[in-house]
Amino acid sequence: MTDAPQVPLDPRLIASGQDDRRQADRRLRAAGQFIAMIPHAAALSMTLTEVGEGEATITMPYDDRLVGDPETGVIHGGAVSALMDTCCGAAVMVHPAAGMGTATIDLRIDYMRPATPGQTITARATCYHVTRSVAFVRAVALDDDTARPVASATGAFTVERPAASRPATGTAT
Amino acid sequence: MTPRRPPEPVQVVKQRRDTTLQRLVAGVPYIRFLGIRFERHGDELTAVLPYADMLIGNPAIPALHGGVTAAFLEVAAIVELSWVMIWEDMEAGGTTPAATETAAAPLRRLPKTIDFNIDYLRSGLPRDAYARARVNRSGRRYASVHVEAWQDNRARLFAQATGHFLMPLRED
């Protein structure tokens, strides 16, 4: 298991603590605006709450329209999938070695337990490895009981960047 | 051997099946939210996702949201599995009260998704999408379902998925 990004940090990102915070704020704002512009993310009221290098956290509030089982009021697995996919994609987009665009190649979701009705679902995704063309991501979905995840996901995503900016060494596999 | 029943009038058969399908689908808010409907030919179901702007995930291309594709495939898989599950009960009784009740009552327990694995083969275009699911194995406790989705050409899939499901406990 490697949680740290596999790519050497851009020296410009290694600065004083204040610069780090400013950089992080800028990144959160830019990524947040990008997520807000996705029509389906907006339809599900998704909000990007945290970003790091190759990491993203997105929340999705409970909504009666997303219920999959009317008997219990539990949110449909499909809505959780949409949250996971968005969060994984966001983690790729904020990775220093990937560009601001990505597409899902594959995504596997394990549903561990039903989300508790009425509670916001929070997804956290980590882009744990990036090659020239592929970003590998894993994510977890939580409700208020953070000790017991609702679902987990692993996926592969495309890495899109201009050919000229491809590094000669480091990220290629 | 039970004595052979005379064939039922076609409108009775159609109404029973359509009502059952309607109950299965209409009771789920999320299916309505995405705008998914089902077309039935005999026992074969095709899920239809009519295009809507709010289904877009990448406004630049534009392309359907990967999460929408995942949800559409999962809905198609669950409805197909439930449909296969209730088909025999629905058909067994003809117009007897038991069969009518099966057709009229909302399906109380749906299969629960254990895991779902989606392959994205090409980007979803901003137009209607279709999906058909096949139950590869359905036991008392677990089921495995494969589902394929396409847009303009049936042979050019834009996504496919395999899911495992926990079957609801049956009273009998």
Side-chain angles (χ1 to χ4, degrees):
Chain A
M1 291 245 300
T2 43
D3 281 308
Q6 297 297 293
V7 178
L9 289 180
D10 184 327
R12 284 168 300 178
L13 292 177
I14 304 167
S16 72
Q18 201 181 4
D19 280 354
D20 273 356
R21 267 196 302 281
R22 236 181 261 145
Q23 193 88 36
D25 284 352
R26 250 203 307 279
R27 198 159 48 201
L28 178 61
R29 258 201 311 279
Q33 278 164 5
F34 190 88
I35 299 297
M37 274 166 52
I38 299 174
H40 194 66
L44 296 178
S45 308
M46 289 182 200
T47 310
L48 184 80
T49 57
E50 264 180 76
V51 291
E53 279 162 23
E55 293 187 343
T57 303
I58 297 184
T59 59
M60 181 175 75
Y62 183 82
D63 188 329
D64 289 336
R65 298 173 306 166
L66 308 182
V67 167
D69 186 346
E71 287 281 301
T72 58
V74 169
I75 295 284
H76 197 284
V80 178
S81 304
L83 174 64
M84 291 291 220
D85 184 60
T86 308
C87 195
C88 288
V92 175
M93 288 186 289
V94 297
H95 195 286
M100 280 303 271
T102 185
T104 319
I105 298 169
D106 88 339
L107 187 69
R108 176 200 161 101
I109 299 163
D110 293 332
Y111 297 94
M112 275 97 84
R113 67 169 173 95
T116 307
Q119 297 183 357
T120 292
I121 302 178
T122 301
R124 295 182 204 285
T126 306
C127 179
Y128 62 92
H129 189 79
V130 173
T131 74
R132 202 184 300 220
S133 330
V134 185
F136 297 91
V137 190
R138 61 173 156 260
V140 65
L142 308 162
D143 61 14
D144 293 358
D145 182 1
T146 54
R148 296 189 309 131
V150 167
S152 71
T154 53
F157 288 72
T158 63
V159 169
E160 284 154 31
R161 53 188 157 187
S165 76
R166 277 184 191 157
T169 56
T171 60
T173 55
Chain B
M1 221 177 110
T2 51
R4 192 169 165 177
R5 284 198 304 267
E8 293 178 283
V10 64
Q11 65 272 25
V12 171
V13 175
K14 276 191 176 168
Q15 209 214 316
R16 179 178 62 233
R17 293 173 183 173
D18 288 340
T19 308
T20 306
L21 179 59
Q22 198 48 35
R23 298 271 169 170
L24 188 57
V25 172
V28 182
Y30 188 63
I31 297 180
R32 220 170 24 240
F33 172 72
L34 289 178
I36 299 169
R37 54 167 211 270
F38 285 81
E39 287 176 3
R40 185 188 65 79
H41 295 118
D43 70 346
E44 183 194 70
L45 298 183
T46 306
V48 182
L49 177 70
Y51 174 75
D53 290 342
M54 71 102 163
L55 303 178
I56 288 296
N58 185 338
I61 297 178
L64 292 183
H65 193 291
V68 168
T69 303
F72 177 49
L73 291 170
E74 195 177 326
V75 164
I78 292 174
V79 169
E80 176 69 27
L81 184 58
S82 307
W83 179 246
V84 169
M85 215 166 69
I86 59 178
W87 176 268
E88 276 184 31
D89 285 346
M90 175 181 73
E91 293 299 295
T95 52
T96 62
T100 315
E101 202 185 319
T102 307
L107 196 74
R108 297 198 90 68
R109 292 197 192 86
L110 296 165
K112 287 198 179 75
T113 315
I114 299 168
D115 59 51
F116 204 65
N117 202 337
I118 311 123
D119 288 340
Y120 294 89
L121 304 172
R122 38 176 72 83
S123 68
L125 303 169
R127 58 190 73 155
D128 294 0
Y130 313 98
R132 230 172 257 165
R134 182 182 70 234
V135 178
N136 282 331
R137 150 92 182 148
S138 171
R140 280 184 71 82
R141 295 176 70 196
Y142 309 109
S144 175
V145 182
H146 183 78
V147 51
E148 297 180 338
W150 70 97
Q151 294 190 299
D152 297 323
N153 306 114
R154 177 67 180 89
R156 275 171 65 88
L157 303 180
F158 78 99
Q160 63 180 355
T162 302
H164 295 94
F165 298 86
L166 192 61
M167 302 298 282
L169 290 170
R170 295 183 64 129
E171 275 108 33
D172 52 44

